[in-house]
Amino acid sequence: LIDTAQMYYNEKHIGHTLSKLFAEGTIRREDIFMTTKVAHPNFPGSHDKCPYVDDPSLSAYDGVSRDIDDCLRDLQMDYIDLVLIHWPGQVGNRDAKLGRQKRAEIWEALEDAYKAGKARTIGVSNFESYHMDQLSETWNVRPMVNQIECHPYLPQVELVREMQENGTQVMCYCPMGSGLLGVLEDPVINEMSIKHFVTPAQLVLSWHIQRGCIPVPKSTNKDRIESNLKCVQVKLDNEEISAITALAKNDARVCPNPKDIL
């Protein structure tokens, strides 16, 4: 799994590296599950490629369609395994009508990319329940994935349950709190990891998996990546899963709160 996004500005580098590895026969295209995200809100000075997200005069459908083609070109691929709407709209947007319209246009573009074979799977990211409810009024294909911020301090119990009950797979970014919230230093997690003879990171990743979620940990350290993969060997009982979930803190977030987007 490679999880990237248009606004990370690394798709050309990824495409160049992978195309070289494919040509050498080191890995095959089918060995890679490529995820990217489009329609990230603009932030002055850091990201300005998606004005269609909140500009009423611009077609979000046309903008996203172009962006998906750009992603394919930059990644040097014929298809992308998973394309997500990065955010449901501009953070702090209070224009509910505009937000609903833009999400519908963007999703229509993803549906067409899916039908054309440009995307094997399509989904959303940072969508709350009401964003999904609004989108359901116009969708022809239900989002297959919802990638959300989720970790022991923000277990997102109700949102995860609703997604799973309706057939949408939950992916979790910042699965360990991104190192900013002290999740891996939590006494409960450390005590439990000692009991299981595993690292706190392995324990937390196992908690995600046993909840039916797909964690997306970020690391550039080869040893840590290999260590993280051993999380599948960790087996927690229901009481332990509940104890980790109970560590929830009031809105302990690394990224903005999607609930602020109408």
Side-chain angles (χ1 to χ4, degrees):
L1 168 65
I2 297 177
D3 183 81
T4 186
Q6 188 182 42
M7 71 88 58
Y8 297 166
Y9 295 96
N10 62 3
E11 290 179 326
K12 288 184 178 179
H13 301 293
I14 292 171
H16 174 75
T17 300
L18 288 179
S19 64
K20 182 179 179 181
L21 293 173
F22 294 155
E24 293 171 349
T26 306
I27 56 174
R28 302 170 300 170
R29 171 64 183 90
E30 53 266 35
D31 296 328
I32 301 294
F33 190 92
M34 178 61 64
T35 299
T36 195
K37 310 174 201 73
V38 293
H40 192 288
N42 282 351
F43 285 102
S46 62
H47 177 69
D48 60 359
K49 291 184 177 295
C50 304
Y52 57 78
V53 169
D54 59 354
D55 188 334
S57 69
L58 298 177
S59 166
Y61 176 91
D62 291 344
V64 169
S65 297
R66 287 192 300 269
D67 285 350
I68 292 174
D69 287 341
D70 288 347
C71 291
L72 287 166
R73 181 199 64 217
D74 292 344
L75 291 168
Q76 300 183 43
M77 293 181 172
D78 297 325
Y79 68 89
I80 299 169
D81 296 283
L82 172 61
V83 177
L84 304 172
I85 301 177
H86 207 152
W87 283 84
Q90 186 71 42
V91 175
N93 172 57
R94 310 315 295 169
D95 188 335
K97 182 178 179 181
L98 179 64
R100 183 188 299 239
Q101 172 194 333
K102 291 294 186 179
R103 286 188 289 274
E105 292 179 13
I106 293 168
W107 186 248
E108 183 183 1
L110 263 67
E111 288 184 331
D112 285 351
Y114 173 65
K115 294 171 186 174
K118 296 178 180 180
R120 294 279 179 92
T121 316
I122 52 176
V124 297
S125 182
N126 296 299
F127 270 48
E128 292 292 321
S129 296
Y130 67 88
H131 296 131
M132 294 288 280
D133 290 342
Q134 291 175 356
L135 200 60
S136 71
E137 297 172 1
T138 57
W139 73 35
N140 293 304
V141 178
R142 180 184 175 87
M144 303 163 190
V145 172
N146 188 4
Q147 187 179 115
I148 59 174
E149 179 177 348
C150 184
H151 45 75
Y153 288 174
L154 187 71
Q156 302 264 37
V157 174
E158 290 304 315
L159 184 57
V160 168
R161 177 190 57 77
E162 182 177 332
M163 294 300 104
Q164 292 175 339
E165 287 180 352
N166 289 285
T168 295
Q169 175 65 54
V170 175
M171 294 180 75
C172 304
Y173 70 84
C174 295
M176 295 175 278
S178 193
L180 300 175
L181 302 176
V183 170
L184 298 185
E185 289 73 47
D186 188 277
V188 172
I189 289 174
N190 274 266
E191 181 179 344
M192 205 177 293
S193 66
I194 292 171
K195 172 187 172 182
H196 284 275
F197 301 100
V198 297
T199 67
Q202 289 169 341
L203 186 90
V204 171
L205 292 174
S206 177
W207 169 77
H208 281 290
I209 292 169
Q210 292 186 238
R211 295 177 75 212
C213 300
I214 300 173
V216 186
K218 176 183 177 182
S219 179
T220 58
N221 184 293
K222 182 176 181 288
D223 291 338
R224 190 168 295 127
I225 292 171
E226 291 178 349
S227 175
N228 286 343
L229 291 173
K230 295 179 181 179
C231 67
V232 295
Q233 302 171 9
V234 184
K235 303 301 178 185
L236 305 175
D237 60 35
N238 291 336
E239 185 176 334
E240 290 171 322
I241 293 172
S242 296
I244 296 174
T245 305
L247 295 175
K249 296 186 178 182
N250 186 32
D251 207 31
R253 293 181 181 271
V254 175
C255 294
N257 192 339
K259 292 178 180 178
D260 293 333
I261 303 172
L262 295 183

Short mmCIF file of all heavy atoms in Angstrom, two decimals, residues 24-68:
data_model
loop_
_atom_site.label_atom_id
_atom_site.label_comp_id
_atom_site.label_asym_id
_atom_site.label_seq_id
_atom_site.Cartn_x
_atom_site.Cartn_y
_atom_site.Cartn_z
N GLU A 24 12.75 -2.93 -14.21
CA GLU A 24 13.82 -3.84 -13.79
C GLU A 24 13.29 -5.21 -13.41
O GLU A 24 14.06 -6.16 -13.27
CB GLU A 24 14.57 -3.23 -12.59
CG GLU A 24 15.34 -1.96 -12.92
CD GLU A 24 15.89 -1.29 -11.68
OE1 GLU A 24 15.49 -1.70 -10.56
OE2 GLU A 24 16.71 -0.37 -11.82
N GLY A 25 11.97 -5.29 -13.19
CA GLY A 25 11.38 -6.55 -12.76
C GLY A 25 11.50 -6.78 -11.26
O GLY A 25 11.23 -7.88 -10.77
N THR A 26 11.90 -5.73 -10.53
CA THR A 26 12.05 -5.86 -9.07
C THR A 26 10.71 -6.09 -8.40
O THR A 26 10.59 -6.91 -7.48
CB THR A 26 12.71 -4.58 -8.50
OG1 THR A 26 13.94 -4.34 -9.19
CG2 THR A 26 12.97 -4.74 -7.01
N ILE A 27 9.70 -5.37 -8.85
CA ILE A 27 8.33 -5.56 -8.38
C ILE A 27 7.40 -5.46 -9.59
O ILE A 27 7.79 -4.97 -10.65
CB ILE A 27 7.92 -4.53 -7.31
CG1 ILE A 27 8.11 -3.10 -7.84
CG2 ILE A 27 8.64 -4.75 -6.02
CD1 ILE A 27 7.60 -2.03 -6.89
N ARG A 28 6.17 -5.92 -9.42
CA ARG A 28 5.17 -5.85 -10.48
C ARG A 28 4.11 -4.84 -10.09
O ARG A 28 3.91 -4.56 -8.91
CB ARG A 28 4.53 -7.22 -10.70
CG ARG A 28 5.51 -8.33 -11.07
CD ARG A 28 4.82 -9.68 -11.02
NE ARG A 28 4.30 -9.95 -9.69
CZ ARG A 28 3.47 -10.97 -9.39
NH1 ARG A 28 3.07 -11.78 -10.36
NH2 ARG A 28 3.05 -11.15 -8.16
N ARG A 29 3.42 -4.31 -11.09
CA ARG A 29 2.35 -3.34 -10.81
C ARG A 29 1.31 -3.94 -9.87
O ARG A 29 0.82 -3.26 -8.96
CB ARG A 29 1.69 -2.88 -12.12
CG ARG A 29 0.43 -2.03 -11.93
CD ARG A 29 0.73 -0.72 -11.25
NE ARG A 29 -0.44 0.09 -11.01
CZ ARG A 29 -1.18 0.04 -9.90
NH1 ARG A 29 -0.85 -0.82 -8.92
NH2 ARG A 29 -2.22 0.83 -9.73
N GLU A 30 0.99 -5.22 -10.04
CA GLU A 30 -0.05 -5.84 -9.22
C GLU A 30 0.40 -6.06 -7.77
O GLU A 30 -0.41 -6.41 -6.91
CB GLU A 30 -0.49 -7.17 -9.83
CG GLU A 30 0.62 -8.15 -10.13
CD GLU A 30 1.12 -8.05 -11.55
OE1 GLU A 30 1.14 -6.92 -12.12
OE2 GLU A 30 1.48 -9.11 -12.11
N ASP A 31 1.69 -5.83 -7.50
CA ASP A 31 2.19 -5.93 -6.12
C ASP A 31 1.94 -4.65 -5.34
O ASP A 31 2.13 -4.62 -4.12
CB ASP A 31 3.70 -6.22 -6.12
CG ASP A 31 4.04 -7.58 -6.73
OD1 ASP A 31 3.22 -8.50 -6.59
OD2 ASP A 31 5.12 -7.70 -7.33
N ILE A 32 1.55 -3.60 -6.03
CA ILE A 32 1.36 -2.28 -5.41
C ILE A 32 -0.12 -1.93 -5.36
O ILE A 32 -0.85 -2.08 -6.34
CB ILE A 32 2.09 -1.19 -6.22
CG1 ILE A 32 3.59 -1.49 -6.32
CG2 ILE A 32 1.85 0.20 -5.63
CD1 ILE A 32 4.32 -1.43 -5.00
N PHE A 33 -0.57 -1.48 -4.18
CA PHE A 33 -1.92 -0.92 -4.07
C PHE A 33 -1.74 0.59 -3.90
O PHE A 33 -1.33 1.07 -2.84
CB PHE A 33 -2.68 -1.51 -2.89
CG PHE A 33 -4.14 -1.14 -2.87
CD1 PHE A 33 -5.09 -1.95 -3.46
CD2 PHE A 33 -4.57 0.05 -2.26
CE1 PHE A 33 -6.44 -1.61 -3.46
CE2 PHE A 33 -5.90 0.40 -2.25
CZ PHE A 33 -6.85 -0.43 -2.86
N MET A 34 -2.03 1.31 -4.96
CA MET A 34 -1.78 2.75 -4.99
C MET A 34 -3.04 3.53 -4.62
O MET A 34 -4.08 3.39 -5.25
CB MET A 34 -1.32 3.18 -6.39
CG MET A 34 -1.08 4.67 -6.55
SD MET A 34 0.20 5.31 -5.44
CE MET A 34 1.64 4.40 -6.07
N THR A 35 -2.92 4.32 -3.59
CA THR A 35 -4.01 5.19 -3.16
C THR A 35 -3.60 6.65 -3.35
O THR A 35 -2.49 7.03 -2.99
CB THR A 35 -4.35 4.98 -1.67
OG1 THR A 35 -4.76 3.64 -1.46
CG2 THR A 35 -5.45 5.93 -1.22
N THR A 36 -4.48 7.44 -3.94
CA THR A 36 -4.22 8.88 -3.99
C THR A 36 -5.51 9.63 -3.66
O THR A 36 -6.58 9.03 -3.60
CB THR A 36 -3.65 9.32 -5.35
OG1 THR A 36 -3.09 10.64 -5.21
CG2 THR A 36 -4.71 9.35 -6.44
N LYS A 37 -5.36 10.92 -3.44
CA LYS A 37 -6.50 11.74 -3.03
C LYS A 37 -6.52 13.01 -3.86
O LYS A 37 -5.46 13.57 -4.16
CB LYS A 37 -6.41 12.09 -1.53
CG LYS A 37 -6.15 10.88 -0.65
CD LYS A 37 -5.92 11.30 0.80
CE LYS A 37 -5.18 10.23 1.57
NZ LYS A 37 -3.74 10.14 1.19
N VAL A 38 -7.70 13.47 -4.17
CA VAL A 38 -7.88 14.69 -4.96
C VAL A 38 -8.83 15.63 -4.22
O VAL A 38 -9.42 15.27 -3.22
CB VAL A 38 -8.44 14.36 -6.37
CG1 VAL A 38 -7.41 13.58 -7.18
CG2 VAL A 38 -9.74 13.58 -6.28
N ALA A 39 -8.96 16.84 -4.76
CA ALA A 39 -9.89 17.84 -4.22
C ALA A 39 -9.56 18.26 -2.79
O ALA A 39 -10.44 18.36 -1.94
CB ALA A 39 -11.33 17.32 -4.31
N HIS A 40 -8.29 18.53 -2.56
CA HIS A 40 -7.90 19.08 -1.25
C HIS A 40 -8.17 20.57 -1.25
O HIS A 40 -7.83 21.27 -2.20
CB HIS A 40 -6.42 18.82 -0.98
CG HIS A 40 -6.02 19.09 0.44
ND1 HIS A 40 -5.93 20.36 0.95
CD2 HIS A 40 -5.70 18.26 1.46
CE1 HIS A 40 -5.57 20.30 2.22
NE2 HIS A 40 -5.42 19.04 2.55
N PRO A 41 -8.78 21.11 -0.20
CA PRO A 41 -9.03 22.55 -0.14
C PRO A 41 -7.73 23.34 -0.29
O PRO A 41 -6.67 22.89 0.12
CB PRO A 41 -9.65 22.76 1.26
CG PRO A 41 -10.16 21.42 1.65
CD PRO A 41 -9.26 20.41 1.01
N ASN A 42 -7.85 24.52 -0.87
CA ASN A 42 -6.69 25.38 -1.03
C ASN A 42 -6.25 25.98 0.30
O ASN A 42 -7.09 26.35 1.14
CB ASN A 42 -6.99 26.51 -2.02
CG ASN A 42 -6.92 26.04 -3.46
OD1 ASN A 42 -6.50 24.92 -3.74
ND2 ASN A 42 -7.34 26.90 -4.38
N PHE A 43 -4.93 26.09 0.46
CA PHE A 43 -4.35 26.79 1.60
C PHE A 43 -3.32 27.76 1.06
O PHE A 43 -2.32 27.33 0.46
CB PHE A 43 -3.69 25.82 2.59
CG PHE A 43 -4.67 25.05 3.42
CD1 PHE A 43 -4.97 23.73 3.11
CD2 PHE A 43 -5.30 25.64 4.50
CE1 PHE A 43 -5.88 23.01 3.87
CE2 PHE A 43 -6.21 24.93 5.27
CZ PHE A 43 -6.50 23.61 4.96
N PRO A 44 -3.54 29.06 1.21
CA PRO A 44 -2.62 30.06 0.65
C PRO A 44 -1.18 29.79 1.07
O PRO A 44 -0.89 29.55 2.23
CB PRO A 44 -3.13 31.38 1.25
CG PRO A 44 -4.58 31.12 1.52
CD PRO A 44 -4.66 29.68 1.94
N GLY A 45 -0.30 29.79 0.08
CA GLY A 45 1.11 29.62 0.36
C GLY A 45 1.59 28.18 0.38
O GLY A 45 2.80 27.92 0.37
N SER A 46 0.65 27.20 0.42
CA SER A 46 1.08 25.81 0.47
C SER A 46 0.40 24.93 -0.57
O SER A 46 0.99 23.98 -1.06
CB SER A 46 0.83 25.22 1.87
OG SER A 46 -0.55 25.23 2.18
N HIS A 47 -0.84 25.23 -0.90
CA HIS A 47 -1.57 24.41 -1.87
C HIS A 47 -2.63 25.27 -2.54
O HIS A 47 -3.50 25.82 -1.87
CB HIS A 47 -2.23 23.22 -1.17
CG HIS A 47 -3.04 22.37 -2.09
ND1 HIS A 47 -2.49 21.59 -3.08
CD2 HIS A 47 -4.40 22.18 -2.19
CE1 HIS A 47 -3.45 20.96 -3.74
NE2 HIS A 47 -4.60 21.31 -3.22
N ASP A 48 -2.54 25.37 -3.87
CA ASP A 48 -3.48 26.23 -4.58
C ASP A 48 -3.96 25.61 -5.89
O ASP A 48 -4.35 26.32 -6.81
CB ASP A 48 -2.85 27.60 -4.84
CG ASP A 48 -1.58 27.50 -5.69
OD1 ASP A 48 -1.18 26.37 -6.06
OD2 ASP A 48 -0.99 28.56 -5.99
N LYS A 49 -3.92 24.27 -5.96
CA LYS A 49 -4.25 23.61 -7.21
C LYS A 49 -5.73 23.24 -7.36
O LYS A 49 -6.14 22.73 -8.40
CB LYS A 49 -3.40 22.33 -7.36
CG LYS A 49 -1.92 22.60 -7.60
CD LYS A 49 -1.16 21.30 -7.84
CE LYS A 49 0.30 21.57 -8.16
NZ LYS A 49 0.49 22.29 -9.43
N CYS A 50 -6.52 23.46 -6.32
CA CYS A 50 -7.92 23.01 -6.38
C CYS A 50 -8.91 24.13 -6.08
O CYS A 50 -9.72 24.03 -5.14
CB CYS A 50 -8.14 21.85 -5.39
SG CYS A 50 -7.05 20.45 -5.64
N PRO A 51 -8.88 25.22 -6.84
CA PRO A 51 -9.80 26.33 -6.57
C PRO A 51 -11.26 25.93 -6.75
O PRO A 51 -12.16 26.57 -6.19
CB PRO A 51 -9.38 27.39 -7.59
CG PRO A 51 -8.74 26.61 -8.70
CD PRO A 51 -8.03 25.49 -8.01
N TYR A 52 -11.50 24.88 -7.52
CA TYR A 52 -12.88 24.43 -7.78
C TYR A 52 -13.58 23.92 -6.54
O TYR A 52 -14.80 23.77 -6.52
CB TYR A 52 -12.88 23.34 -8.86
CG TYR A 52 -12.02 22.14 -8.51
CD1 TYR A 52 -12.46 21.17 -7.62
CD2 TYR A 52 -10.77 21.97 -9.09
CE1 TYR A 52 -11.68 20.08 -7.29
CE2 TYR A 52 -9.98 20.87 -8.77
CZ TYR A 52 -10.44 19.93 -7.87
OH TYR A 52 -9.66 18.85 -7.54
N VAL A 53 -12.83 23.63 -5.46
CA VAL A 53 -13.44 23.07 -4.25
C VAL A 53 -14.43 24.04 -3.63
O VAL A 53 -15.46 23.64 -3.09
CB VAL A 53 -12.34 22.68 -3.22
CG1 VAL A 53 -12.96 22.36 -1.86
CG2 VAL A 53 -11.55 21.48 -3.72
N ASP A 54 -14.14 25.34 -3.71
CA ASP A 54 -15.04 26.30 -3.07
C ASP A 54 -15.38 27.52 -3.94
O ASP A 54 -16.03 28.45 -3.47
CB ASP A 54 -14.45 26.78 -1.73
CG ASP A 54 -13.09 27.45 -1.88
OD1 ASP A 54 -12.55 27.45 -3.00
OD2 ASP A 54 -12.58 27.96 -0.87
N ASP A 55 -14.96 27.51 -5.20
CA ASP A 55 -15.27 28.62 -6.11
C ASP A 55 -16.55 28.28 -6.88
O ASP A 55 -16.55 27.38 -7.73
CB ASP A 55 -14.12 28.85 -7.08
CG ASP A 55 -14.30 30.12 -7.92
OD1 ASP A 55 -15.46 30.53 -8.13
OD2 ASP A 55 -13.28 30.67 -8.39
N PRO A 56 -17.65 29.00 -6.62
CA PRO A 56 -18.93 28.69 -7.28
C PRO A 56 -18.88 28.81 -8.80
O PRO A 56 -19.69 28.20 -9.49
CB PRO A 56 -19.89 29.74 -6.68
CG PRO A 56 -19.24 30.21 -5.43
CD PRO A 56 -17.77 30.13 -5.70
N SER A 57 -17.93 29.58 -9.32
CA SER A 57 -17.87 29.80 -10.76
C SER A 57 -17.16 28.67 -11.51
O SER A 57 -17.17 28.63 -12.73
CB SER A 57 -17.18 31.13 -11.07
OG SER A 57 -15.80 31.06 -10.75
N LEU A 58 -16.53 27.76 -10.77
CA LEU A 58 -15.75 26.70 -11.38
C LEU A 58 -16.45 25.35 -11.24
O LEU A 58 -17.08 25.07 -10.22
CB LEU A 58 -14.36 26.61 -10.75
CG LEU A 58 -13.46 27.84 -10.91
CD1 LEU A 58 -12.15 27.63 -10.16
CD2 LEU A 58 -13.19 28.14 -12.38
N SER A 59 -16.31 24.52 -12.25
CA SER A 59 -16.90 23.18 -12.22
C SER A 59 -15.99 22.23 -11.45
O SER A 59 -14.85 21.98 -11.85
CB SER A 59 -17.09 22.64 -13.65
OG SER A 59 -17.35 21.25 -13.64
N ALA A 60 -16.49 21.71 -10.34
CA ALA A 60 -15.72 20.74 -9.56
C ALA A 60 -15.57 19.43 -10.33
O ALA A 60 -14.56 18.75 -10.22
CB ALA A 60 -16.38 20.51 -8.21
N TYR A 61 -16.58 19.09 -11.12
CA TYR A 61 -16.52 17.87 -11.93
C TYR A 61 -15.34 17.95 -12.90
O TYR A 61 -14.52 17.03 -12.99
CB TYR A 61 -17.82 17.67 -12.70
CG TYR A 61 -17.78 16.47 -13.63
CD1 TYR A 61 -18.19 15.21 -13.19
CD2 TYR A 61 -17.30 16.59 -14.94
CE1 TYR A 61 -18.13 14.11 -14.04
CE2 TYR A 61 -17.23 15.50 -15.79
CZ TYR A 61 -17.65 14.25 -15.33
OH TYR A 61 -17.56 13.16 -16.16
N ASP A 62 -15.25 19.06 -13.63
CA ASP A 62 -14.16 19.22 -14.60
C ASP A 62 -12.80 19.26 -13.90
O ASP A 62 -11.83 18.66 -14.38
CB ASP A 62 -14.35 20.50 -15.41
CG ASP A 62 -15.54 20.43 -16.36
OD1 ASP A 62 -16.02 19.30 -16.62
OD2 ASP A 62 -16.00 21.50 -16.82
N GLY A 63 -12.74 19.96 -12.77
CA GLY A 63 -11.48 20.08 -12.05
C GLY A 63 -10.95 18.74 -11.57
O GLY A 63 -9.76 18.43 -11.74
N VAL A 64 -11.83 17.95 -10.97
CA VAL A 64 -11.41 16.64 -10.47
C VAL A 64 -11.07 15.69 -11.61
O VAL A 64 -10.11 14.91 -11.52
CB VAL A 64 -12.50 16.04 -9.55
CG1 VAL A 64 -12.19 14.58 -9.23
CG2 VAL A 64 -12.59 16.83 -8.26
N SER A 65 -11.83 15.74 -12.68
CA SER A 65 -11.54 14.88 -13.83
C SER A 65 -10.14 15.15 -14.37
O SER A 65 -9.38 14.22 -14.68
CB SER A 65 -12.58 15.11 -14.93
OG SER A 65 -13.88 14.76 -14.49
N ARG A 66 -9.78 16.44 -14.46
CA ARG A 66 -8.43 16.79 -14.89
C ARG A 66 -7.38 16.30 -13.89
O ARG A 66 -6.32 15.80 -14.27
CB ARG A 66 -8.30 18.31 -15.08
CG ARG A 66 -9.00 18.86 -16.31
CD ARG A 66 -8.57 20.30 -16.56
NE ARG A 66 -8.89 21.16 -15.43
CZ ARG A 66 -10.03 21.84 -15.30
NH1 ARG A 66 -10.97 21.73 -16.23
NH2 ARG A 66 -10.24 22.61 -14.26
N ASP A 67 -7.70 16.47 -12.61
CA ASP A 67 -6.74 16.08 -11.57
C ASP A 67 -6.48 14.58 -11.58
O ASP A 67 -5.34 14.13 -11.37
CB ASP A 67 -7.25 16.52 -10.19
CG ASP A 67 -7.10 18.01 -9.98
OD1 ASP A 67 -6.45 18.67 -10.82
OD2 ASP A 67 -7.64 18.53 -8.99
N ILE A 68 -7.50 13.78 -11.80
CA ILE A 68 -7.31 12.33 -11.85
C ILE A 68 -6.41 11.96 -13.03
O ILE A 68 -5.50 11.12 -12.90
CB ILE A 68 -8.66 11.59 -11.93
CG1 ILE A 68 -9.43 11.77 -10.61
CG2 ILE A 68 -8.46 10.11 -12.24
CD1 ILE A 68 -10.83 11.22 -10.63
#
